[in-house]
Amino acid sequence: MSSPGTEARWWHGATLYQVYVRSFQDTNDDGYGDLNGVTARLDYLAWLGVDGIWLSPTMPSPDHDWGYDVSDYLGVHPELGTLADLDRLIGEAGQRGMRVLLDLVPNHTSSAHPWFVAASGDPASPYRDYYVWADPAPGGGPPNNWLAATGASAWTLDPRSGQYYLHNFLPSQPDLNWWEPRVHEAFREILRFWFDRGVAGFRIDVAQGLYKDAELRDDPPAPEADVVRSRFGLAQVYSANRPESHAVFRDWRKIADSYPSPRLLLGETWVGDLHALAAFHGHGDELQLTFNFPFIFAPFSAAALSAVVAETLADLPAGEVPVWTASNHDISRFPTRWCRGDEGKARLALLVLATLPGTCVLYNGDEIAMTDVDVPDALVRDLMRAETGARESRDRSRTPMPWDDSLAAGFTGAGVRPWLPGGGRSSRNVAAQRADPASTLHLCRELIALRRAEFAGQLMGYQQLAAPAGVWAYRSGGLIVVANFTDAPVSLAGVGGAGGVAGEVLIRSDRAAGAAAGFVGRWAGVILR
Ligand code: NOJ
Ligand code: CA
């Protein structure tokens, strides 16, 4: 944990680790990972060296969207454990110097939440205005053209009242109406409830979504190929991304800052425009951290990634830091998406992620270069996919953590069927890599340790250096990084202007014998000082 002097910005230079709880460690042999499983693996996470963990949804839910459909914001999902288990997890993590962030879902609830049950049963219910209702279009049918994440209309008719309700995701995930002041009050209480229990912050689901256009205007078209900017051919100009949401984050930031150790607000800010991303930081008075989807979806090339980094840093208000992450539970894992399974490339990616200024967020499995798992159609558990059949299932990146090479992978009991299939026996497991000092796991651990030693609590400088095509070289704090995204070794003499760069090699991503002195191997990186 950072020293008291850096407490106020402990996430600067930190490494956070996303735990997909259901797939991390099962302790009661029901095939689902649970909170006690996370606690059981805290020693591993402390060994890895992360500063904090973000737990995928922990609240009670019918699991139409695996916890992103919350039916009680003040509880713990019985399948994952109890409130006492969560308290214990937070306490045990704290003893090891790690903070715990929860996942908060303020854009929508489950249709099983008591608010929606009351609201949909009775148009005169005091909870009716907690949700977004609208009359059918003049000729009948949905009120406007907005689309849900499934590709279907974002509106479902409530036959009892003859009105439609809005759901930007599944029909069982009705959107909350943030024009209603009581929704604000309810979430203030939710924040305080968890902060008072020692939760260090929240990852905020669909942070760009909260307010919708008051006039419910149609969304305009957008090129469908642009995965960040377009939802099935529409730009979410009115169904999300409204300016009014910033006031919510200013309000929450005051609550977060009212604690002696400031609580962290990390937005799932799914926007394609880096100016819009920076705007979520306000004037340093909104979200402290924002996920950068343009970086995630950039091609794995020196030119593309360095361009996003430069623009992100240029756009952020003074004193604010970016987040670098490359995998999560919704997208293909980076060792597959960026690296096509090539472990050398994954090691290069980890070296870059760990040396960029700001906050690094790893997804469980990144540290062993875990790849996507093909989940056969019959075993798919992701309804968002099942409803449309269209896109690849998100389950590919949600499969159990491979702790060892046994059939159950150390995830669950022998003979127990895990909720999602494992990837089969593989050398990319934690036990094998922990026993091999040259493994990706050890590289990742060394990177995290260097990152902490150099960057913890710091607002660091970043400067891109001259380099041949395909090579990304930069100064980050006191380090020089040369990342070679090409098929041939490059000489350090050709990087950084006259005479090249030189210094002590602290870490190189290719295994020791991989490259001659003074060179960076193909698809490899070095860190110099
Ligand atoms: C983003 C979450 O990460 C995803 O899993 C979920 O389906 C949507 N938000 C809706 O909550
Ligand atoms: Ca379990």
Side-chain angles (χ1 to χ4, degrees):
M1 198 172 290
S2 0
S3 67
T6 57
E7 181 79 5
R9 45 187 159 79
W10 61 265
W11 52 90
H12 286 202
T15 307
L16 303 179
Y17 183 96
Q18 178 188 356
V19 176
Y20 195 76
V21 179
R22 277 175 190 280
S23 292
F24 201 58
Q25 179 67 63
D26 177 20
T27 56
N28 63 348
D29 288 356
D30 64 356
Y32 290 100
D34 41 56
L35 293 174
N36 287 339
V38 181
T39 306
R41 293 293 184 180
L42 286 175
D43 282 336
Y44 165 73
L45 295 173
W47 173 83
L48 186 58
V50 301
D51 299 283
I53 56 178
W54 145 37
L55 302 176
S56 61
T58 47
M59 297 167 191
S61 162
D63 288 331
H64 291 197
D65 191 17
W66 299 110
Y68 288 102
D69 47 326
V70 176
S71 52
D72 173 8
Y73 286 90
L74 305 181
V76 166
H77 196 309
E79 217 163 47
L80 304 179
T82 63
L83 204 48
D85 293 336
L86 182 55
D87 287 342
R88 192 165 67 87
L89 163 51
I90 294 169
E92 297 251 346
Q95 282 168 21
R96 291 164 178 80
M98 289 180 288
R99 321 207 186 214
V100 178
L101 276 71
L102 299 187
D103 211 313
L104 182 69
V105 188
N107 180 69
H108 46 267
T109 69
S110 161
S111 53
H113 193 290
W115 299 337
F116 191 75
V117 172
S120 61
D122 172 13
S125 157
Y127 292 102
R128 185 75 174 181
D129 287 341
Y130 275 43
Y131 296 91
V132 185
W133 300 93
D135 292 332
N144 65 22
N145 74 347
W146 296 356
L147 294 177
T150 59
S153 170
W155 298 94
T156 289
L157 184 65
D158 167 34
R160 280 171 290 196
S161 63
Q163 283 197 306
Y164 283 82
Y165 69 88
L166 177 69
H167 52 86
N168 264 299
F169 295 89
L170 296 171
S172 51
Q173 293 172 294
D175 275 54
L176 283 162
N177 172 23
W178 280 88
W179 293 99
E180 167 56 53
R182 287 171 300 158
V183 170
H184 293 241
E185 195 41 53
F187 272 85
R188 286 184 197 114
E189 280 170 25
I190 293 163
L191 257 66
R192 289 196 196 99
F193 175 84
W194 292 109
F195 290 163
D196 288 348
R197 292 194 95 83
V199 166
F202 288 109
R203 174 267 192 186
I204 299 160
D205 190 59
V206 198
Q208 79 286 358
L210 311 188
Y211 273 87
K212 330 294 170 194
D213 181 42
E215 295 169 40
L216 305 180
R217 283 171 280 187
D218 275 356
D219 276 335
E224 207 159 330
D226 187 336
V227 284
V228 200
R229 285 188 168 83
S230 154
R231 174 174 273 197
F232 299 98
L234 294 180
Q236 290 199 277
V237 171
Y238 297 112
S239 56
N241 297 303
R242 303 307 300 160
E244 292 83 3
S245 298
H246 291 285
V248 177
F249 301 132
R250 282 194 291 276
D251 186 33
W252 291 2
R253 179 64 179 273
K254 285 189 196 122
I255 297 175
D257 283 350
S258 72
Y259 286 78
S261 171
R263 302 313 201 231
L264 179 61
L265 303 173
L266 161 58
E268 188 215 13
T269 37
W270 192 288
V271 295
D273 180 309
L274 292 167
H275 296 290
L277 184 70
F280 283 101
H281 294 252
H283 301 285
D285 57 355
E286 295 188 29
L287 305 179
Q288 296 104 324
L289 293 178
T290 52
F291 276 125
N292 189 324
F293 286 92
F295 179 82
I296 290 174
F297 289 116
F300 191 57
S301 74
L305 293 172
S306 64
V308 178
V309 168
E311 193 186 335
T312 302
L313 289 168
D315 286 349
L316 279 176
E320 296 296 299
V321 295
V323 178
W324 308 111
T325 195
S327 301
N328 68 37
H329 62 289
D330 291 331
I331 57 176
S332 169
R333 289 173 175 276
F334 80 78
T336 297
R337 196 184 68 255
W338 272 349
C339 311
R340 304 275 159 241
D342 181 324
E343 196 165 347
K345 291 182 181 173
R347 293 166 67 101
L348 166 62
L350 286 168
L351 182 140
V352 167
L353 286 168
T355 52
L356 289 172
T359 305
C360 171
V361 183
L362 298 175
Y363 180 43
N364 62 216
D366 282 354
E367 71 273 32
I368 54 168
M370 181 177 176
T371 50
D372 290 349
V373 170
D374 278 332
V375 176
D377 279 354
L379 299 182
V380 163
R381 308 293 303 268
D382 178 15
L383 276 182
M384 203 78 76
R385 151 68 175 9
E387 285 221 335
T388 63
R391 291 192 174 166
E392 283 174 87
S393 140
R394 298 180 296 179
D395 291 341
R396 62 190 163 172
S397 57
R398 298 177 177 182
T399 57
M401 182 78 176
W403 294 103
D404 59 39
D405 69 353
S406 69
L407 212 51
F411 165 70
T412 186
V416 176
R417 193 183 169 131
W419 80 293
L420 281 173
R425 292 183 155 141
S426 154
S427 67
R428 291 202 196 167
N429 68 71
V430 172
Q433 293 201 21
R434 209 166 157 169
D436 172 8
S439 67
T440 299
L441 177 60
H442 275 272
L443 169 70
C444 190
R445 181 171 182 253
E446 285 159 28
L447 288 167
I448 292 172
L450 178 66
R451 185 176 168 73
R452 178 180 283 182
E454 294 286 321
F455 302 166
Q458 307 289 320
L459 192 61
M460 303 141 50
Y462 168 90
Q463 186 199 354
Q464 194 168 338
L465 304 174
V471 178
W472 179 11
Y474 51 92
R475 231 178 252 285
S476 196
L479 304 177
I480 294 173
V481 178
V482 182
N484 178 8
F485 289 71
T486 76
D487 279 326
V490 292
S491 166
L492 292 176
V495 173
V501 290
E504 181 196 355
V505 174
L506 300 180
I507 295 183
R508 56 189 326 143
S509 72
D510 46 358
R511 291 179 174 86
F519 281 82
V520 188
R522 59 187 293 276
W523 295 102
V526 297
I527 306 172
L528 307 168
R529 186 182 17 233

